[in-house]
C-alpha cells in the first residue's frame, strides 16, 4: 500500500498536465474548487461529487466523556463534524 499523500501541489500539477492551463491558472482553479467546497460545507450544505462520494456535515450532541488516563468525567461540547461517504463506484475501484 502506498504511503504517499496527495497534496494541492499534486492536484495543480495534474491539472497543468491534463488541461494545459499554465501552472498559475491551474493553481487558481484548484484553489477555487476547494474554496467552493469549503464554503458550502461551512454553510451547512452537503457536497456530492458523482462517482467519487459525498461530504456531509453532521451535528453531534454534547455528552459526557471520560479521560482514559485518569478516569475523570469530562463534558464534550456539541459540535459539527465532517463525514465523507464514498460512492459505490469509488468503493468498487478501491476493492478491485
Amino acid at each position: 500500500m502506498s504511503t504517499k499523500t496527495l497534496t494541492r501541489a499534486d492536484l495543480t500539477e495534474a491539472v497543468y498536465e491534463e488541461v494545459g492551463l499554465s501552472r498559475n491558472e491551474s493553481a487558481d482553479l484548484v484553489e477555487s474548487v476547494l474554496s467552493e467546497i469549503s464554503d458550502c460545507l461551512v454553510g451547512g450544505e452537503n457536497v456530492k461529487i458523482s462517482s467519487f462520494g459525498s461530504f456531509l456535515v453532521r451535528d453531534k450532541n454534547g455528552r459526557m466523556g471520560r479521560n482514559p488516563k485518569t478516569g475523570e468525567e469530562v463534558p464534550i461540547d456539541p459540535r459539527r463534524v465532517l463525514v465523507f461517504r464514498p460512492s459505490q463506484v469509488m468503493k468498487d475501484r478501491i476493492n478491485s
Side-chain angles (χ1 to χ4, degrees), residues 30-42:
V30 169
E31 288 301 320
S32 67
V33 169
L34 294 176
S35 177
E36 184 66 25
I37 291 171
S38 298
D39 292 344
C40 289
L41 292 169
V42 167

Side-chain angles (χ1 to χ4, degrees), residues 6-73:
L6 182 69
T7 64
R8 287 176 190 235
D10 296 333
L11 290 173
T12 299
E13 189 63 25
V15 169
Y16 168 73
E17 291 174 2
E18 291 290 322
V19 180
L21 297 175
S22 73
R23 281 195 164 84
N24 285 340
E25 290 172 329
S26 297
D28 291 343
L29 178 63
V30 169
E31 288 301 320
S32 67
V33 169
L34 294 176
S35 177
E36 184 66 25
I37 291 171
S38 298
D39 292 344
C40 289
L41 292 169
V42 167
E45 297 178 51
N46 295 333
V47 175
K48 181 178 181 179
I49 302 173
S50 182
S51 299
F52 183 74
S54 299
F55 295 92
L56 312 167
V57 176
R58 292 213 175 122
D59 293 319
K60 294 192 92 173
N61 295 326
R63 61 187 172 88
M64 289 304 289
R66 188 177 308 274
N67 181 331
K69 189 170 186 177
T70 64
E72 175 185 358
E73 287 194 351

